[in-house]
Amino acid sequence: EEDQSQAFGDVAPRSPDTRNPRFSGGDMHLFTSRLFDETNKPAGKLLAQCITVRAGRTFVQASFQCSATIVLRDGTIAVNTAFTGNQRDEDVLSAVTGGTGAYEGARGSISQRNLPNGRMENTIHLLP
C-alpha cells in the first residue's frame, strides 16, 4: 500500500499549466497519508481536504483552509487549520476539534515539523 495519494480539483478560472498550477478561490487539494508511530509501525491514516481561500499565482502566494480526519485503531480525531503557502511547516498549528471512540470530545492542537528523511513528524496535544 502506498504511503500517500493526492488529487487536485481546479475550478474556474482554470490554471493553464497543470504542472505548476495557479491557485484560485475554491480550488481543492485532497490527500491521504499513512501515519506511523515513533517505532515506524503503521498507526493509522490521515484523510484531508484543503480549499484555496485566497488566490495566488503560486502555492506560496495562496492561502488555504483545511479539514482532516485522523483515523486510528481506537477512534478518529477531527482537525482544522488555515495557513499560507509561504509558512514553514513548523509554523502551522492545527486545532483538534473533536473525535470519536477513545477520542470522543477531544480538543487540543497538532504541531508538525519536517524530518530529514522527507517525512513529517506530527505531535498531537490533547487537553485533559
Side-chain angles (χ1 to χ4, degrees):
E1 180 177 2
E2 284 193 38
D3 282 351
Q4 60 184 357
S5 66
Q6 61 181 342
F8 181 70
D10 190 6
V11 299
R14 293 195 183 269
S15 183
D17 182 356
T18 56
R19 289 179 185 237
N20 296 302
R22 291 182 180 183
F23 294 85
S24 58
D27 286 351
M28 187 176 292
H29 182 216
L30 307 171
F31 61 95
T32 65
S33 181
R34 286 179 57 193
L35 301 174
F36 299 88
D37 66 16
E38 58 277 350
T39 65
N40 208 32
K41 291 183 181 166
K45 230 177 211 179
L46 172 73
L47 311 170
Q49 65 175 4
C50 293
I51 299 172
T52 305
V53 293
R54 188 185 79 209
R57 292 177 72 84
T58 64
F59 176 79
V60 298
Q61 296 171 324
S63 295
F64 306 90
Q65 167 69 40
C66 302
S67 57
T69 303
I70 296 172
V71 180
L72 302 169
R73 238 175 264 109
D74 52 352
T76 65
I77 298 174
V79 180
N80 278 293
T81 194
F83 67 95
T84 57
N86 64 354
Q87 277 183 279
R88 293 179 328 131
D89 289 330
E90 290 85 354
D91 295 334
V92 177
L93 289 175
S94 302
V96 172
T97 58
T100 64
Y103 310 100
E104 181 92 26
R107 58 193 177 101
S109 63
I110 298 176
S111 60
Q112 54 194 26
R113 69 182 182 99
N114 288 318
L115 299 176
N117 62 6
R119 284 191 171 176
M120 182 173 286
E121 177 182 82
N122 293 282
T123 304
I124 302 171
H125 309 273
L126 296 178
L127 298 175

